[in-house]
Amino acid sequence: SQQGEEDPQALSIQEGENATMNCSYKTSINNLQWYRQNSGRGLVHLILIRSNEREKHSGRLRVTLDTSKKSSSLLITASRAADTASYFCATNSGYSTLTFGKGTMLLVSP
Amino acid sequence: ETGVTQSPTHLIKTRGQQVTLRCSSQSGHNTVSWYQQALGQGPQFIFQYYREEENGRGNFPPRFSGLQFPNYSSELNVNALELDDSALYLCASSLENPGTGELFFGEGSRLTVL
């Protein structure tokens, strides 16, 4: 079953704009992670935020976590065409497994 | 490049057949997880192996089985294939168990069942 639900399902923006994706989940977590997938290939880990953290940055990525609302957001600033991909949030609840959402498809046009 | 390799990359089977997918984990990683990703969906957890033993299983029937070898490489076997088994099968390795759950994925094996 899916734990996380990303919103929107699809997002289309121009290069240079910011992209924001949201994720909601249902149960308590140890951490939440965001992954990227290019066109049906393997997933690549982007960033991890622990349940006791509220915000984290990595390059052009900013992740926030609100455990009271069971939600997270991923912001990609100054998007590039190469950012075109599907983005998934995944929750870890204390074991070495992750539960993924259905993903957001991001299209960045030149 | 994550260092996780999967084979084969693509394969086509017919309903009722059996398939074996293989995965070599990243060097030093002792935990391997398998995920099924149907088209347009997120990855679904199948099972996880830690030091050659199954260490967790998702909502998949017994015809999905696996192995982990002493070198931590792994196999996923699916018997009596059904049309709905058509999907991208992803292998992921991780360093610690339990750990943060950060996974290193291979490129996947795309299975088509006709």
Side-chain angles (χ1 to χ4, degrees):
Chain A
S1 61
Q2 311 277 171
Q3 156 82 306
E5 289 288 337
E6 287 92 341
D7 170 58
Q9 288 187 320
L11 180 60
S12 181
I13 59 174
Q14 300 290 120
E15 266 192 328
E17 295 181 337
N18 295 341
T20 299
M21 289 160 261
N22 302 297
C23 168
S24 60
Y25 58 91
K26 299 173 184 174
T27 63
S28 62
I29 61 172
N30 275 8
N31 65 69
L32 185 144
Q33 304 175 33
W34 286 88
Y35 285 78
R36 166 194 168 127
Q37 184 178 40
N38 285 357
S39 189
R41 301 186 65 185
L43 281 80
V44 176
H45 179 263
L46 294 176
I47 195 166
L48 179 154
I49 186 166
R50 301 180 190 278
S51 60
N52 61 354
E53 298 175 311
R54 291 297 168 257
E55 187 171 313
K56 201 161 183 181
H57 296 253
S58 176
R60 293 185 295 112
L61 305 180
R62 182 175 81 103
V63 170
T64 61
L65 179 64
D66 186 337
T67 53
S68 67
K69 295 181 179 179
K70 292 188 170 57
S71 67
S72 173
S73 67
L74 171 67
L75 169 67
I76 304 173
T77 61
S79 295
R80 306 165 182 169
D83 294 328
T84 294
S86 292
Y87 292 82
F88 295 89
C89 70
T91 54
N92 171 260
S93 300
Y95 301 92
S96 292
T97 60
L98 294 178
T99 304
F100 287 85
K102 292 185 178 180
T104 292
M105 290 181 57
L106 173 64
L107 173 63
V108 182
S109 302
Chain B
E1 290 290 331
T2 63
V4 178
T5 59
Q6 292 187 242
S7 64
T9 55
H10 295 82
L11 69 166
I12 299 173
K13 294 283 188 178
T14 56
R15 196 170 52 180
Q17 285 188 314
Q18 178 265 344
V19 67
T20 296
L21 308 178
R22 295 178 175 83
C23 172
S24 294
S25 58
Q26 186 168 347
S27 178
H29 286 189
N30 58 22
T31 300
V32 173
S33 303
W34 286 91
Y35 286 80
Q36 180 196 66
Q37 186 179 22
L39 199 61
Q41 301 293 316
Q44 296 274 327
F45 174 65
I46 303 175
F47 45 56
Q48 179 184 89
Y49 279 82
Y50 170 59
R51 295 185 176 178
E52 302 178 59
E53 295 201 359
E54 189 177 291
N55 186 45
R57 189 178 182 92
N59 189 26
F60 280 82
R63 59 189 185 83
F64 286 78
S65 64
L67 283 173
Q68 187 181 30
F69 301 100
N71 65 357
Y72 302 136
S73 65
S74 178
E75 286 182 356
L76 164 65
N77 299 289
V78 186
N79 295 321
L81 285 167
E82 301 176 359
L83 297 180
D84 284 349
D85 295 332
S86 294
L88 181 67
Y89 288 86
L90 295 161
C91 167
S93 71
S94 50
L95 179 57
E96 300 170 337
N97 192 320
T100 62
E102 180 179 345
L103 298 179
F104 297 82
F105 282 86
E107 293 293 330
S109 294
R110 184 165 296 282
L111 171 65
T112 301
V113 182
L114 302 177

